Amino acid sequence: MHEDRRATAPSQQLTFSLADEEYGVDILAVREIRSWTRVTRIPQTPDYVLGVLNLRGAIVPIADLRLRFGLLRESYGDDTVVIIVAIAERLFGIVVDAVSDVVDIDPAAIKPVPDMGAVVDTRYLKGLATYAERMVMLLDVEKLMRPEDVESLDAALPAVQEVEVAA
């Protein structure tokens, strides 16, 4: 019975905006929220990986979610935020337009992602939920960084050179 209660307990999602859409990421994956700062560029990494950030001695790759999702890149401003998440016990940063708030989502309110065909890549989503009359797309953070991307980052780290990413 204790297992049943946990399965139906609301999950907390950190919501954020990206290209006028609302997304959510499980709060348990979030380690920190930071304002945008300069990163160290890494050569020969995927285009959506902006570089790395030294976070209290840990080297954290930073990915722009707009670029990851095939959206147009926007200039970084005062509202631009980096959300540090743990993916498979490793830290990654994701750049988003702005953080909204933390909301409780009832698991029964999470709907499966509809098949959008080849037009929209939905592999990064684990479901859709309605909260306060808003549609929130729930991210599957485990799928944001592919294993081959992590390997290319690991291989490139020794060649890091510091440059400022132009907005």
Side-chain angles (χ1 to χ4, degrees):
M1 182 148 167
H2 183 64
E3 291 288 320
D4 292 342
R5 236 184 276 142
R6 263 193 298 165
T8 59
S11 69
Q12 289 194 313
Q13 301 286 319
L14 174 68
T15 60
F16 58 89
S17 61
L18 191 69
D20 297 325
E21 298 294 338
E22 190 143 11
Y23 292 83
V25 63
D26 191 322
I27 195 74
L28 296 177
V30 175
R31 296 296 174 261
E32 188 172 325
I33 301 169
R34 303 174 51 93
S35 59
W36 169 252
T37 57
R38 189 175 82 162
V39 298
T40 302
R41 184 153 278 315
I42 300 178
Q44 300 179 7
T45 56
D47 64 340
Y48 64 89
V49 177
L50 302 177
V52 294
L53 188 66
N54 185 334
L55 186 63
R56 294 180 294 283
I59 302 300
V60 179
I62 306 297
D64 187 320
L65 273 193
R66 280 179 168 269
L67 298 178
R68 184 69 173 127
F69 293 167
L71 302 169
L72 290 177
R73 182 171 173 187
E74 292 284 320
S75 60
Y76 303 139
D78 293 339
D79 290 336
T80 306
V81 175
V82 178
I83 302 171
I84 307 296
V85 295
I87 302 174
E89 298 181 26
R90 186 163 181 179
L91 297 179
F92 290 93
I94 53 176
V95 178
V96 301
D97 295 347
V99 168
S100 303
D101 50 14
V102 176
V103 298
D104 291 326
I105 303 287
D106 183 347
I110 300 174
K111 306 297 181 214
V113 179
D115 183 7
M116 306 291 276
V119 177
V120 177
D121 189 350
T122 58
R123 69 181 144 181
Y124 310 115
L125 302 178
K126 63 180 175 182
L128 302 172
T130 302
Y131 177 80
E133 300 181 20
R134 301 181 315 228
M135 180 65 65
V136 178
M137 293 177 270
L138 304 177
L139 282 185
D140 187 342
V141 293
E142 299 287 329
K143 295 182 179 172
L144 285 177
M145 294 295 282
R146 298 182 308 237
E148 59 269 24
D149 295 340
V150 173
E151 287 174 17
S152 71
L153 280 168
D154 288 342
L157 278 177
V160 169
Q161 61 187 31
E162 191 162 297
V163 295
E164 187 168 344
V165 175

